[in-house]
């Protein structure tokens, strides 16, 4: 099926007249914030043409539109991942729909493994930059010049002003570089040491495709990673990690993340 963001917006408008200014993407185990949205209209992804359903555990697949910290927001409770088998245009379709709907700021969250030995599980890390280590790019193929340039500049992708706002709300935030891998297996210790050697502080299986699409569209981007496990690959410190552990730790960090996002949205 051809992916048409305007058709998706038309379907959303049959359910709500709201015009959100911010989109918030909630990652693994981080969906609780959606319950704090007031006067909420909940639209299952299945009701939006072109919008695929998330199959990942801890991702419940609905768009929650309403008020958070006094602002009109669109919260995506659950995202689509490349590892689920979706191709990149499907993974970033929700971002393109948000832009077509008039949203110009996106806040992305995820669960990640900590590569920086100073981190610990439960830490929140602002993304200051990323390394795209996924085997595909959402901008591959014909470029629609009306949406953005063929060769987007990636310098300053993570909006400085939004990061400063986040740090003013939660001064204990970590900041670092996120490397995106395709998954779904967690990395081998050798891969983790390599990723650390490349300069990354955290590793995960999401976010970067959406960030690339948002940048192409000229949107303002804030991204916050929840460190759910230490993934240093250092001999003597190697731990097993499971999907269940990731969700459990992310859920525990969810209250702090929720407070941070509400604080940031209030200041937008
Ligand atoms: N690796 C990749 N993705 C992840 C991890 C990890 O250790 N933890 C949570 N998401």
């Amino acid at each position: 099926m051809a992916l048409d963001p305007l058709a998706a917006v038309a379907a959303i408008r049959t359910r709500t007249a709201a015009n959100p200014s911010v989109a918030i993407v909630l990652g693994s185990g981080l969906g609780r914030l959606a319950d704090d949205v007031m006067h909420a209209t909940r639209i299952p992804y299945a009701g939006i043409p072109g919008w695929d359903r998330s199959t990942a555990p801890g991702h419940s697949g609905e768009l929650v539109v309403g008020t958070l910290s006094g602002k009109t927001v669109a919260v995506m409770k659950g995202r689509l991942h490349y590892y689920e088998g979706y191709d990149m245009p499907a993974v970033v379709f929700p971002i393109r729909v948000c832009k077509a709907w008039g949203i110009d700021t996106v806040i992305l969250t995820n669960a990640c493994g900590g590569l920086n030995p100073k981190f610990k599980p439960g830490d929140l890390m602002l993304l200051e930059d990323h390394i795209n280590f996924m085997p595909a790019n959402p901008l591959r193929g014909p470029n629609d010049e009306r949406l953005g340039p063929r060769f987007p500049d990636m310098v300053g992708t993570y909006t400085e002003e939004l990061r400063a706002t986040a740090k003013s709300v939660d001064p204990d935030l970590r900041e670092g570089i996120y490397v995106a891998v395709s998954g779904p297996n967690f990395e081998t210790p050798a891969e983790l040491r390599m990723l650390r050697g490349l300069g990354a502080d955290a590793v995960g299986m999401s976010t970067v495709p959406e960030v690339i699409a948002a940048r192409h569209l000229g949107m303002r981007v804030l991204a916050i990673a929840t460190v759910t496990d230490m993934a240093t690959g250092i001999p003597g410190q190697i731990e097993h990690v499971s999907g269940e552990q990731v969700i459990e730790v992310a859920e525990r960090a969810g209250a702090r993340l929720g407070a941070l996002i509400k604080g940031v949205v209030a200041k937008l």
Side-chain angles (χ1 to χ4, degrees):
M1 183 176 46
L3 294 178
D4 180 1
L6 291 174
V9 172
I12 293 168
R13 287 206 197 278
T14 66
R15 300 286 308 274
T16 173
N19 291 306
S21 53
V22 194
I24 302 167
V25 179
L26 299 177
S28 299
L30 303 169
R32 274 261 310 280
L33 180 67
D35 301 335
D36 293 345
V37 174
M38 292 185 312
H39 317 295
T41 303
R42 297 171 176 273
I43 309 171
Y45 294 165
I48 309 173
W51 196 313
D52 277 306
R53 249 163 293 181
S54 178
T55 65
H59 289 253
S60 74
E62 53 181 18
L63 178 65
V64 181
V65 187
T67 308
L68 190 73
S69 303
K71 305 275 162 49
T72 306
V73 298
V75 178
M76 278 159 261
K77 201 172 170 191
R79 63 148 56 80
L80 307 167
H81 303 80
Y82 185 67
Y83 67 71
E84 294 175 77
Y86 298 119
D87 60 15
M88 284 296 182
V91 170
V92 304
F93 184 67
I95 300 298
R96 291 181 169 151
V97 172
C98 287
K99 176 71 182 188
W101 193 5
I103 296 174
D104 68 359
T105 300
V106 58
I107 301 175
L108 297 141
T109 66
N110 64 51
C112 71
L115 297 168
N116 182 331
K118 293 192 182 130
F119 290 2
K120 54 183 189 333
D123 279 354
L124 299 180
M125 185 192 91
L126 282 181
L127 274 66
E128 63 177 72
D129 203 346
H130 75 229
I131 297 171
N132 184 14
F133 219 66
M134 287 187 170
N137 189 297
L139 307 183
R140 181 168 176 268
N143 183 55
D144 186 340
E145 291 289 329
R146 291 167 304 178
L147 301 184
R150 169 78 290 184
F151 302 110
D153 174 17
M154 295 301 289
V155 178
T157 294
Y158 295 89
T159 311
E160 186 77 49
E161 185 195 337
L162 296 178
R163 281 192 285 141
T165 303
K167 283 184 271 188
S168 74
V169 173
D170 187 338
D172 293 330
L173 290 176
R174 308 281 196 165
E175 204 163 11
I177 295 168
Y178 176 91
V179 59
V181 295
S182 71
N185 60 284
F186 291 112
E187 301 70 35
T188 66
E191 288 167 341
L192 293 170
R193 293 192 300 270
M194 173 193 71
L195 296 169
R196 179 67 181 151
L198 291 177
D201 296 290
V203 55
M205 305 174 193
S206 70
T207 307
V208 164
E210 293 119 301
V211 167
I212 292 172
R215 177 65 171 178
H216 178 243
L217 294 161
M219 298 172 84
R220 293 170 1 118
V221 175
L222 178 69
I224 308 149
T226 302
V227 179
T228 56
D229 53 278
M230 285 311 292
T232 59
I234 299 171
Q237 298 177 13
I238 294 171
E239 289 173 21
H240 290 277
V241 57
S242 68
E244 292 74 23
Q245 177 190 346
V246 165
I247 290 175
E248 193 189 304
V249 178
E251 280 176 351
R252 266 192 270 133
R256 182 175 162 210
L257 180 78
L260 167 62
I261 292 177
K262 282 186 241 176
V264 169
V265 170
K267 292 186 174 193
L268 287 176

